[in-house]
Amino acid sequence: MFLAIDIGNSNIVFGLYDQENRKWKAELRVETRPGLLVSSLQEKVHLYFLEKDYHVSDIEEIGVSSVVPELNVTIIEFCKSFLGREPYIIAGKSYDNLKVSVARPDEIGTDLMANVTAAYVKYNQATIIVDFGTALTFTIVSASGEVMGVNIVPGIKTAIKSLFNNTAKLPEVDLEWPESVIGKGTVHSIQAGILHGYTGLVKGMLADIQNELADMDFKIVATGGLSSILVKLESEFDEVDRNLTLEGIRLITMGNK
């Protein structure tokens, strides 16, 4: 198996890829937090492996994307001590051997470049990748695999937490679709504002990008842990692929072996 580790601002995602059957078979999410201990990671992953009947000896390669550099040492030590393997850490130089490119490789998140790599290998055409994570990002890729630009907006849960943390009376609410777009109470009002608001934001952003680049035919792909929440956006996407980032980590890692 191939183990992809995606260190994000909200979660560390461990994805297992069955290389013989060519499919992603498991995903474990661990909350990202400062001071995360190797022993804590070992305990969580060990229990998960026991539950799923997976074996450390089955892992042949490990690739890591990280947007939280302070956790890199912890992850490397975890891989060495628990998995017995040195992980490949994706960095700017990792794209030299690939068909995708970016003008400033050290300035764009490795998670976004993993998305770009997976999407370009899969579709081989101009693509807009909408990633619903801690940040909501729109990555625009040309037909030749060049990253043309990235638009960044606070993610859905980030917006909700901002309301909760910066107001005296507004509660942190669950992401559930309200019956009406017009808020009837505090919780309902936040849900309507966030979910309908972000639906309009995504539609507007996609429309503006495509209007500005009207001569390009885009494949539009959604990914990220919250990609399935905005159900009214389904018609905007050609595909929703939760494993896009993990697949990109795998492709980048194997492309540098």
Side-chain angles (χ1 to χ4, degrees):
M1 290 191 293
F2 178 92
L3 175 63
I5 304 176
D6 180 18
I7 309 173
N9 289 294
S10 298
N11 293 285
I12 303 173
V13 181
F14 297 82
L16 285 168
Y17 181 81
D18 185 336
Q19 300 193 97
E20 182 177 347
N21 295 305
R22 297 183 179 182
K23 66 178 182 179
W24 291 96
K25 60 186 301 182
E27 178 185 293
L28 169 65
R29 289 176 175 264
V30 177
E31 182 182 0
T32 303
R33 62 179 187 274
L36 182 64
L37 298 176
V38 173
S39 57
S40 176
L41 272 180
Q42 288 180 341
E43 181 181 357
K44 292 178 185 297
V45 176
H46 176 66
L47 288 174
Y48 183 77
F49 274 38
L50 283 177
E51 290 172 1
K52 299 293 184 180
D53 195 27
Y54 296 145
H55 305 282
V56 169
S57 58
D58 292 334
I59 297 174
E60 298 173 318
E61 301 283 353
I62 306 170
V64 178
S65 163
S66 175
V67 296
V68 189
E70 56 267 31
L71 288 180
N72 289 7
V73 172
T74 300
I75 291 296
I76 292 171
E77 180 57 34
F78 161 77
C79 291
K80 288 180 177 179
S81 61
F82 182 69
L83 303 174
R85 291 190 177 276
E86 181 92 27
Y88 178 78
I89 309 295
I90 298 174
K93 59 181 175 54
S94 299
Y95 321 126
D96 293 345
N97 300 326
L98 307 177
K99 293 182 179 180
V100 297
S101 62
V102 60
R104 299 179 179 86
D106 292 315
E107 291 184 14
I108 187 169
T110 55
D111 54 342
L112 299 186
M113 283 304 294
N115 288 343
V116 169
T117 302
Y120 192 70
V121 167
K122 188 172 186 178
Y123 304 112
N124 196 31
Q125 71 171 85
T127 310
I128 301 173
I129 304 159
V130 186
D131 190 338
F132 293 85
T134 306
L136 169 60
T137 60
F138 301 78
T139 306
I140 301 95
V141 188
S142 73
S144 62
E146 177 189 2
V147 177
M148 302 177 68
V150 181
N151 294 354
I152 304 174
V153 180
I156 298 172
K157 283 192 173 180
T158 303
I160 289 176
K161 286 183 179 179
S162 178
L163 277 175
F164 175 70
N165 291 330
N166 292 288
T167 57
K169 294 186 177 181
L170 293 181
E172 189 168 6
V173 303
D174 294 329
L175 287 172
E176 297 177 358
W177 276 93
E179 294 181 1
S180 169
V181 69
I182 302 170
K184 304 299 184 181
T186 301
V187 171
H188 185 179
S189 297
I190 295 173
Q191 290 172 334
I194 292 291
L195 293 174
H196 285 282
Y198 268 81
T199 297
L201 185 157
V202 172
K203 286 183 177 180
M205 187 73 76
L206 289 174
D208 287 347
I209 292 170
Q210 291 177 94
N211 286 338
E212 184 167 323
L213 301 171
D215 59 331
M216 299 177 69
D217 181 24
F218 286 103
K219 180 77 74 172
I220 302 177
V221 185
T223 191
L226 299 177
S227 56
S228 61
I229 286 179
L230 300 185
V231 293
K232 297 189 178 183
L233 286 171
E234 289 177 355
S235 62
E236 300 291 320
F237 305 127
D238 294 301
E239 186 171 347
V240 176
D241 185 352
R242 278 178 57 93
N243 293 323
L244 194 71
T245 310
L246 298 177
E247 176 65 7
I249 293 171
R250 185 184 74 84
L251 290 170
I252 293 171
T253 300
M254 301 312 293
N256 282 275
K257 290 296 181 180

